[in-house]
Amino acid sequence: MTGKERILKILNHEPVDRIGFYEHFWGDTRGKWISEGHIKEDESVEDHFNFDIQRCWAFNLVANLDFEPEVIEETEETRLIKDGNGAILRRHKLHDSTPEHVDFTVRDRATWEEHAKPYLIEVDERRINFEAYRRAREEAKKAGRFFVWAGINVFELMHNVCGHEYLLMGMALDPDWVKDMVKTYSELTVQLQKVLFEKEGYPDGVFYYEDMGFKEKPFFSMNMYKSIIQSGHIYTIDYAHSQNLPVIMHSCGYVEPLLPGMIEAGIDCLQVIEVKAGMDLLKLYDTYGDQIAFMGGIDVRTLYTNDKKVIDKELETKIPKLIEKFAYVLHSDHSIPDTVDYETFRYYIKKALDLGTYKQTV
């Protein structure tokens, strides 16, 4: 069974030979493993570890494409940059990390309409990396992998332009402004997808990144999700489904309260299921495993102990229960950091896939 066949069946809750397998890494991790001689410089992790999924991040949705990023301040460890969204972000130079939000030009409806929205109305094909998409699609097809177009959905697009604080205040104090941003970004995303897919061919699925939670809480209530955010999800997911493309949605943080609304919006799979934020994979799988598939939920903290007994306990507690509904893809609950040894990661894959192989081969 190829990776493409396996993932399609898992997303449709059909019998397979084993659970699926995919993973994300921090850039530092791949660099470390290359320096140690485990991976060749020009070798892809998809090929090296035999992933079932391959993605391509093909769009640039920064508001002003012509704005040259401006370095405001630089130290030995960080760089403070103003980008084409008008966002001022501090990024680390020595290691991978999420950028620190420092300031934003867009703070309300007026600044949105002046500094961002005008750039996001018309389709500009410069936003699309046709060559990267074409290359990744061909590589996935050759390897038999499930190929996904990957990108961020409306909540992450909005907080990139105005930051979490202004966005969340806007949802409470001026929801019509935020609804306008949701409409603008969802429509632009679909318009760009139509251009790309019609010119270069369709993927096997769509993978949206949409972090809507933090530790033990989502960023907003279910009521706010359904009244403000969900329409953007429905619009983008409906388009994917109209082309027979299943939708995987990544969402870090504690998003369990939002999951019924996400399922209502049409997601086919929830990805990452962050344990340290309070997400309980087995509970969610038991409750919603007949409706959607799951990818993730393996506590990455057990991996960076580099202790086989700790890893065994994590996998033996979860994997045997996750094979019951043909609806699970192996993945950590976040990206793999460079504190995880290469040999540890190899052990984890083998152990998990051994546990996740069905007794009767399909």
Side-chain angles (χ1 to χ4, degrees), residues 9-16 18-19 281-294 319-329 358:
K9 284 181 176 293
I10 288 170
L11 295 177
N12 286 313
H13 305 265
E14 297 174 0
V16 287
R18 63 162 171 81
I19 59 174
L281 172 60
L282 296 181
K283 174 187 174 185
L284 295 174
Y285 190 82
D286 184 59
T287 305
Y288 300 107
D290 293 323
Q291 300 174 64
I292 61 170
F294 290 87
I319 300 298
K321 297 180 181 180
L322 295 169
I323 65 174
E324 295 174 0
K325 299 179 180 181
F326 301 107
Y328 181 69
V329 179
Y358 292 89

Side-chain angles (χ1 to χ4, degrees), residues 25-75:
F25 302 89
W26 290 105
D28 296 338
T29 308
R30 183 174 181 274
K32 176 186 175 184
W33 291 350
I34 288 172
S35 70
E36 293 173 345
H38 301 299
I39 301 177
K40 297 176 183 176
E41 186 75 40
D42 60 350
E43 185 180 17
S44 73
V45 291
E46 291 90 353
D47 286 336
H48 188 85
F49 295 112
N50 195 27
F51 287 174
D52 288 324
I53 296 173
Q54 183 163 345
R55 66 172 184 161
C56 179
W57 198 288
F59 291 174
N60 178 357
L61 290 178
V62 68
N64 186 351
L65 289 174
D66 296 313
F67 182 84
E68 290 292 332
E70 176 186 342
V71 178
I72 296 172
E73 176 186 288
E74 187 166 4
T75 69

